[in-house]
Amino acid sequence: MINTDVLHDKSIVGSPIVHLSSMTIMLYVFWLLLSGNTQPKFLIYGAITSIIASWVCYPLLLIPNFDGTKKYFVFGINPFKVVYYFFWLMWQLILANIDVIKATVRHELDINPCVVKFRYRIDNPMGTVILANSITLTPGTVTMNVTPDGLYEVHALTDGAADGLKDPSGMPGKVAWLLGQDFEFDVVEVDY
Amino acid sequence: MSYVSLAQEIIAYVLMGLGLIFLVGSAIGMLRLPDFYSRVHASGNSETLGTMLIFLGLAVYNGFSDTSAKIIVIFLFVFLGNPIGSHILAKTAYKTGHPVWTKKHAKEAEEYEAKAAEKEEN
């Protein structure tokens, strides 16, 4: 029996049909990449497998927001924005990495570790996850804890990294732009 | 074997060399930094860029083929997976109450040691 409730769920942001088809295409491209076979048999097997896999997995990839009023699809992000964000993040990674290596290779360690606590609220729960992951990926800052209502506790290694965290137009603004939503940001406390 | 052009080879070596510099930097940081949290920065994060540059160099060396595409996929998984590992380590240490090293603590420790030395002298 096929349960079609998910297609008529009004609390999902965006269209379930678009989500399902985009996910099927994504899985099919991945299949083609890994198999490297272009015989018709494998192409058809791949298509059937990706349709079934996306149909089975789709309900698992819907996450509710903090109020529980809406459900967001995990991969429901504009792919062009994702590519732009990826390259921007790579550039930030290189800059921050050079800073950290300079600070650690000096004769006297040029570090000043501190814990920055800030609050970041965005409706889409993916925003919370992407921000936490991007902060951890950037050298000089590691997310130590995130609560569901958006309180971040971040360990910053150098003064420059800590200043970068306190700037709302930096990474928090870029994540909000990626998801196309408004956000609230305020620094709660800095522990030296 | 496919033919590897000179330009391709040079770009690949430059990328892998840069990756090596970042990996060495992360190893130095691992040895020199004072406490657990700052070592997570060195081990988890600087390593990500080093690994990614080396993978990119391998992909360039391989040329435009499905093997390169697979290398890029591995690179993306490292990109997604590495910060999660660092985060879990830092989170567990923080929740179990591991103290965070700061400059204030270093000064206090120095003063304490100086006092202890004075006492021994007396």
Side-chain angles (χ1 to χ4, degrees), chain A residues 51-73:
Chain A
I51 288 168
I52 293 172
S54 59
W55 176 254
V56 171
C57 293
Y58 182 58
L60 303 174
L61 293 172
L62 292 169
I63 33 177
N65 64 355
F66 189 59
D67 311 329
T69 49
K70 286 177 187 169
K71 281 180 188 161
Y72 287 96
F73 179 50

PDB file of all heavy atoms in Angstrom, chain A residues 51-73:
ATOM      1  N   ILE A  51      13.830   6.399  -7.911  1.00  0.00           N
ATOM      2  CA  ILE A  51      12.443   6.793  -7.632  1.00  0.00           C
ATOM      3  C   ILE A  51      11.979   6.177  -6.314  1.00  0.00           C
ATOM      4  O   ILE A  51      11.437   6.857  -5.432  1.00  0.00           O
ATOM      5  CB  ILE A  51      11.515   6.370  -8.798  1.00  0.00           C
ATOM      6  CG1 ILE A  51      11.773   7.262 -10.010  1.00  0.00           C
ATOM      7  CG2 ILE A  51      10.052   6.446  -8.380  1.00  0.00           C
ATOM      8  CD1 ILE A  51      11.150   6.768 -11.271  1.00  0.00           C
ATOM      9  N   ILE A  52      12.242   4.859  -6.146  1.00  0.00           N
ATOM     10  CA  ILE A  52      11.782   4.189  -4.919  1.00  0.00           C
ATOM     11  C   ILE A  52      12.494   4.779  -3.698  1.00  0.00           C
ATOM     12  O   ILE A  52      11.858   5.088  -2.678  1.00  0.00           O
ATOM     13  CB  ILE A  52      12.028   2.665  -5.001  1.00  0.00           C
ATOM     14  CG1 ILE A  52      11.131   2.065  -6.081  1.00  0.00           C
ATOM     15  CG2 ILE A  52      11.748   1.992  -3.670  1.00  0.00           C
ATOM     16  CD1 ILE A  52      11.404   0.626  -6.376  1.00  0.00           C
ATOM     17  N   ALA A  53      13.815   4.981  -3.823  1.00  0.00           N
ATOM     18  CA  ALA A  53      14.569   5.485  -2.666  1.00  0.00           C
ATOM     19  C   ALA A  53      14.080   6.864  -2.269  1.00  0.00           C
ATOM     20  O   ALA A  53      13.893   7.151  -1.077  1.00  0.00           O
ATOM     21  CB  ALA A  53      16.055   5.523  -3.000  1.00  0.00           C
ATOM     22  N   SER A  54      13.839   7.747  -3.250  1.00  0.00           N
ATOM     23  CA  SER A  54      13.402   9.098  -2.878  1.00  0.00           C
ATOM     24  C   SER A  54      12.000   9.051  -2.278  1.00  0.00           C
ATOM     25  O   SER A  54      11.711   9.778  -1.324  1.00  0.00           O
ATOM     26  CB  SER A  54      13.466  10.044  -4.072  1.00  0.00           C
ATOM     27  OG  SER A  54      12.662   9.574  -5.106  1.00  0.00           O
ATOM     28  N   TRP A  55      11.117   8.182  -2.789  1.00  0.00           N
ATOM     29  CA  TRP A  55       9.764   8.081  -2.228  1.00  0.00           C
ATOM     30  C   TRP A  55       9.793   7.586  -0.783  1.00  0.00           C
ATOM     31  O   TRP A  55       9.076   8.096   0.079  1.00  0.00           O
ATOM     32  CB  TRP A  55       8.895   7.153  -3.101  1.00  0.00           C
ATOM     33  CG  TRP A  55       7.541   6.932  -2.533  1.00  0.00           C
ATOM     34  CD1 TRP A  55       7.076   5.815  -1.932  1.00  0.00           C
ATOM     35  CD2 TRP A  55       6.477   7.885  -2.488  1.00  0.00           C
ATOM     36  NE1 TRP A  55       5.792   6.000  -1.508  1.00  0.00           N
ATOM     37  CE2 TRP A  55       5.395   7.263  -1.843  1.00  0.00           C
ATOM     38  CE3 TRP A  55       6.330   9.196  -2.933  1.00  0.00           C
ATOM     39  CZ2 TRP A  55       4.185   7.913  -1.632  1.00  0.00           C
ATOM     40  CZ3 TRP A  55       5.128   9.836  -2.716  1.00  0.00           C
ATOM     41  CH2 TRP A  55       4.076   9.199  -2.071  1.00  0.00           C
ATOM     42  N   VAL A  56      10.653   6.595  -0.500  1.00  0.00           N
ATOM     43  CA  VAL A  56      10.728   6.040   0.859  1.00  0.00           C
ATOM     44  C   VAL A  56      11.361   7.041   1.818  1.00  0.00           C
ATOM     45  O   VAL A  56      10.922   7.183   2.959  1.00  0.00           O
ATOM     46  CB  VAL A  56      11.517   4.704   0.836  1.00  0.00           C
ATOM     47  CG1 VAL A  56      11.792   4.214   2.242  1.00  0.00           C
ATOM     48  CG2 VAL A  56      10.757   3.656   0.069  1.00  0.00           C
ATOM     49  N   CYS A  57      12.406   7.758   1.327  1.00  0.00           N
ATOM     50  CA  CYS A  57      13.170   8.623   2.236  1.00  0.00           C
ATOM     51  C   CYS A  57      12.535   9.989   2.438  1.00  0.00           C
ATOM     52  O   CYS A  57      12.870  10.678   3.398  1.00  0.00           O
ATOM     53  CB  CYS A  57      14.588   8.815   1.722  1.00  0.00           C
ATOM     54  SG  CYS A  57      15.541   7.325   1.778  1.00  0.00           S
ATOM     55  N   TYR A  58      11.632  10.386   1.534  1.00  0.00           N
ATOM     56  CA  TYR A  58      11.141  11.761   1.592  1.00  0.00           C
ATOM     57  C   TYR A  58      10.557  12.159   2.957  1.00  0.00           C
ATOM     58  O   TYR A  58      10.921  13.202   3.498  1.00  0.00           O
ATOM     59  CB  TYR A  58      10.129  12.000   0.455  1.00  0.00           C
ATOM     60  CG  TYR A  58       9.604  13.397   0.416  1.00  0.00           C
ATOM     61  CD1 TYR A  58      10.463  14.475   0.272  1.00  0.00           C
ATOM     62  CD2 TYR A  58       8.247  13.654   0.543  1.00  0.00           C
ATOM     63  CE1 TYR A  58       9.992  15.756   0.250  1.00  0.00           C
ATOM     64  CE2 TYR A  58       7.763  14.948   0.525  1.00  0.00           C
ATOM     65  CZ  TYR A  58       8.639  15.991   0.383  1.00  0.00           C
ATOM     66  OH  TYR A  58       8.172  17.270   0.381  1.00  0.00           O
ATOM     67  N   PRO A  59       9.656  11.340   3.573  1.00  0.00           N
ATOM     68  CA  PRO A  59       9.112  11.745   4.884  1.00  0.00           C
ATOM     69  C   PRO A  59      10.171  11.890   5.971  1.00  0.00           C
ATOM     70  O   PRO A  59      10.003  12.683   6.894  1.00  0.00           O
ATOM     71  CB  PRO A  59       8.139  10.610   5.230  1.00  0.00           C
ATOM     72  CG  PRO A  59       7.831   9.972   3.954  1.00  0.00           C
ATOM     73  CD  PRO A  59       9.036  10.107   3.102  1.00  0.00           C
ATOM     74  N   LEU A  60      11.285  11.132   5.832  1.00  0.00           N
ATOM     75  CA  LEU A  60      12.345  11.228   6.842  1.00  0.00           C
ATOM     76  C   LEU A  60      13.119  12.525   6.718  1.00  0.00           C
ATOM     77  O   LEU A  60      13.777  12.951   7.660  1.00  0.00           O
ATOM     78  CB  LEU A  60      13.321  10.059   6.696  1.00  0.00           C
ATOM     79  CG  LEU A  60      12.736   8.668   6.779  1.00  0.00           C
ATOM     80  CD1 LEU A  60      13.797   7.645   6.465  1.00  0.00           C
ATOM     81  CD2 LEU A  60      12.177   8.421   8.163  1.00  0.00           C
ATOM     82  N   LEU A  61      13.102  13.126   5.530  1.00  0.00           N
ATOM     83  CA  LEU A  61      13.904  14.333   5.287  1.00  0.00           C
ATOM     84  C   LEU A  61      13.095  15.611   5.484  1.00  0.00           C
ATOM     85  O   LEU A  61      13.500  16.676   5.053  1.00  0.00           O
ATOM     86  CB  LEU A  61      14.485  14.291   3.873  1.00  0.00           C
ATOM     87  CG  LEU A  61      15.519  13.186   3.646  1.00  0.00           C
ATOM     88  CD1 LEU A  61      15.891  13.104   2.187  1.00  0.00           C
ATOM     89  CD2 LEU A  61      16.751  13.424   4.471  1.00  0.00           C
ATOM     90  N   LEU A  62      11.925  15.497   6.125  1.00  0.00           N
ATOM     91  CA  LEU A  62      11.133  16.685   6.443  1.00  0.00           C
ATOM     92  C   LEU A  62      11.347  16.998   7.916  1.00  0.00           C
ATOM     93  O   LEU A  62      11.107  16.146   8.766  1.00  0.00           O
ATOM     94  CB  LEU A  62       9.642  16.413   6.199  1.00  0.00           C
ATOM     95  CG  LEU A  62       9.239  16.228   4.749  1.00  0.00           C
ATOM     96  CD1 LEU A  62       7.817  15.704   4.693  1.00  0.00           C
ATOM     97  CD2 LEU A  62       9.352  17.527   3.996  1.00  0.00           C
ATOM     98  N   ILE A  63      11.826  18.213   8.217  1.00  0.00           N
ATOM     99  CA  ILE A  63      12.040  18.540   9.623  1.00  0.00           C
ATOM    100  C   ILE A  63      11.138  19.694  10.034  1.00  0.00           C
ATOM    101  O   ILE A  63      11.022  20.683   9.316  1.00  0.00           O
ATOM    102  CB  ILE A  63      13.521  18.856   9.950  1.00  0.00           C
ATOM    103  CG1 ILE A  63      14.199  19.523   8.771  1.00  0.00           C
ATOM    104  CG2 ILE A  63      14.269  17.616  10.351  1.00  0.00           C
ATOM    105  CD1 ILE A  63      15.611  19.907   9.060  1.00  0.00           C
ATOM    106  N   PRO A  64      10.468  19.577  11.186  1.00  0.00           N
ATOM    107  CA  PRO A  64       9.590  20.650  11.655  1.00  0.00           C
ATOM    108  C   PRO A  64      10.391  21.812  12.227  1.00  0.00           C
ATOM    109  O   PRO A  64      11.509  21.619  12.708  1.00  0.00           O
ATOM    110  CB  PRO A  64       8.765  19.968  12.743  1.00  0.00           C
ATOM    111  CG  PRO A  64       9.623  18.878  13.243  1.00  0.00           C
ATOM    112  CD  PRO A  64      10.456  18.423  12.088  1.00  0.00           C
ATOM    113  N   ASN A  65       9.817  23.024  12.164  1.00  0.00           N
ATOM    114  CA  ASN A  65      10.505  24.173  12.768  1.00  0.00           C
ATOM    115  C   ASN A  65      10.281  24.181  14.272  1.00  0.00           C
ATOM    116  O   ASN A  65       9.652  23.276  14.826  1.00  0.00           O
ATOM    117  CB  ASN A  65      10.077  25.484  12.101  1.00  0.00           C
ATOM    118  CG  ASN A  65       8.615  25.783  12.308  1.00  0.00           C
ATOM    119  OD1 ASN A  65       7.897  24.968  12.872  1.00  0.00           O
ATOM    120  ND2 ASN A  65       8.175  26.923  11.841  1.00  0.00           N
ATOM    121  N   PHE A  66      10.776  25.231  14.961  1.00  0.00           N
ATOM    122  CA  PHE A  66      10.758  25.233  16.430  1.00  0.00           C
ATOM    123  C   PHE A  66       9.327  25.244  16.972  1.00  0.00           C
ATOM    124  O   PHE A  66       9.035  24.597  17.979  1.00  0.00           O
ATOM    125  CB  PHE A  66      11.543  26.446  16.939  1.00  0.00           C
ATOM    126  CG  PHE A  66      11.769  26.435  18.417  1.00  0.00           C
ATOM    127  CD1 PHE A  66      12.445  25.388  19.017  1.00  0.00           C
ATOM    128  CD2 PHE A  66      11.309  27.472  19.200  1.00  0.00           C
ATOM    129  CE1 PHE A  66      12.665  25.367  20.379  1.00  0.00           C
ATOM    130  CE2 PHE A  66      11.523  27.458  20.566  1.00  0.00           C
ATOM    131  CZ  PHE A  66      12.198  26.407  21.155  1.00  0.00           C
ATOM    132  N   ASP A  67       8.403  25.960  16.303  1.00  0.00           N
ATOM    133  CA  ASP A  67       7.008  26.006  16.761  1.00  0.00           C
ATOM    134  C   ASP A  67       6.239  24.740  16.388  1.00  0.00           C
ATOM    135  O   ASP A  67       5.193  24.466  16.963  1.00  0.00           O
ATOM    136  CB  ASP A  67       6.262  27.186  16.114  1.00  0.00           C
ATOM    137  CG  ASP A  67       7.034  28.475  16.234  1.00  0.00           C
ATOM    138  OD1 ASP A  67       7.758  28.605  17.225  1.00  0.00           O
ATOM    139  OD2 ASP A  67       6.906  29.322  15.334  1.00  0.00           O
ATOM    140  N   GLY A  68       6.731  23.999  15.400  1.00  0.00           N
ATOM    141  CA  GLY A  68       6.010  22.828  14.923  1.00  0.00           C
ATOM    142  C   GLY A  68       4.889  23.155  13.959  1.00  0.00           C
ATOM    143  O   GLY A  68       4.035  22.316  13.677  1.00  0.00           O
ATOM    144  N   THR A  69       4.864  24.396  13.429  1.00  0.00           N
ATOM    145  CA  THR A  69       3.777  24.772  12.511  1.00  0.00           C
ATOM    146  C   THR A  69       4.098  24.443  11.063  1.00  0.00           C
ATOM    147  O   THR A  69       3.192  24.256  10.258  1.00  0.00           O
ATOM    148  CB  THR A  69       3.501  26.280  12.615  1.00  0.00           C
ATOM    149  OG1 THR A  69       4.747  26.971  12.522  1.00  0.00           O
ATOM    150  CG2 THR A  69       2.817  26.631  13.914  1.00  0.00           C
ATOM    151  N   LYS A  70       5.373  24.386  10.721  1.00  0.00           N
ATOM    152  CA  LYS A  70       5.762  24.154   9.324  1.00  0.00           C
ATOM    153  C   LYS A  70       6.770  23.021   9.258  1.00  0.00           C
ATOM    154  O   LYS A  70       7.466  22.743  10.226  1.00  0.00           O
ATOM    155  CB  LYS A  70       6.414  25.408   8.730  1.00  0.00           C
ATOM    156  CG  LYS A  70       5.471  26.518   8.404  1.00  0.00           C
ATOM    157  CD  LYS A  70       6.280  27.690   7.898  1.00  0.00           C
ATOM    158  CE  LYS A  70       5.408  28.909   7.699  1.00  0.00           C
ATOM    159  NZ  LYS A  70       6.248  30.087   7.474  1.00  0.00           N
ATOM    160  N   LYS A  71       6.834  22.382   8.062  1.00  0.00           N
ATOM    161  CA  LYS A  71       7.862  21.367   7.845  1.00  0.00           C
ATOM    162  C   LYS A  71       8.725  21.806   6.675  1.00  0.00           C
ATOM    163  O   LYS A  71       8.211  22.233   5.649  1.00  0.00           O
ATOM    164  CB  LYS A  71       7.205  20.022   7.508  1.00  0.00           C
ATOM    165  CG  LYS A  71       6.673  19.281   8.702  1.00  0.00           C
ATOM    166  CD  LYS A  71       6.062  17.986   8.236  1.00  0.00           C
ATOM    167  CE  LYS A  71       5.338  17.281   9.363  1.00  0.00           C
ATOM    168  NZ  LYS A  71       4.382  16.300   8.804  1.00  0.00           N
ATOM    169  N   TYR A  72      10.049  21.694   6.855  1.00  0.00           N
ATOM    170  CA  TYR A  72      10.979  22.092   5.800  1.00  0.00           C
ATOM    171  C   TYR A  72      11.652  20.857   5.229  1.00  0.00           C
ATOM    172  O   TYR A  72      12.034  19.951   5.961  1.00  0.00           O
ATOM    173  CB  TYR A  72      12.032  23.034   6.355  1.00  0.00           C
ATOM    174  CG  TYR A  72      11.520  24.413   6.645  1.00  0.00           C
ATOM    175  CD1 TYR A  72      11.110  24.768   7.918  1.00  0.00           C
ATOM    176  CD2 TYR A  72      11.437  25.357   5.630  1.00  0.00           C
ATOM    177  CE1 TYR A  72      10.644  26.040   8.183  1.00  0.00           C
ATOM    178  CE2 TYR A  72      10.966  26.624   5.882  1.00  0.00           C
ATOM    179  CZ  TYR A  72      10.576  26.960   7.165  1.00  0.00           C
ATOM    180  OH  TYR A  72      10.114  28.209   7.418  1.00  0.00           O
ATOM    181  N   PHE A  73      11.814  20.846   3.892  1.00  0.00           N
ATOM    182  CA  PHE A  73      12.556  19.775   3.221  1.00  0.00           C
ATOM    183  C   PHE A  73      14.041  20.094   3.330  1.00  0.00           C
ATOM    184  O   PHE A  73      14.460  21.221   3.119  1.00  0.00           O
ATOM    185  CB  PHE A  73      12.118  19.691   1.760  1.00  0.00           C
ATOM    186  CG  PHE A  73      12.826  18.643   0.966  1.00  0.00           C
ATOM    187  CD1 PHE A  73      12.911  17.348   1.442  1.00  0.00           C
ATOM    188  CD2 PHE A  73      13.394  18.954  -0.254  1.00  0.00           C
ATOM    189  CE1 PHE A  73      13.566  16.379   0.711  1.00  0.00           C
ATOM    190  CE2 PHE A  73      14.047  17.976  -0.989  1.00  0.00           C
ATOM    191  CZ  PHE A  73      14.137  16.689  -0.507  1.00  0.00           C
TER     192      PHE A  73
END
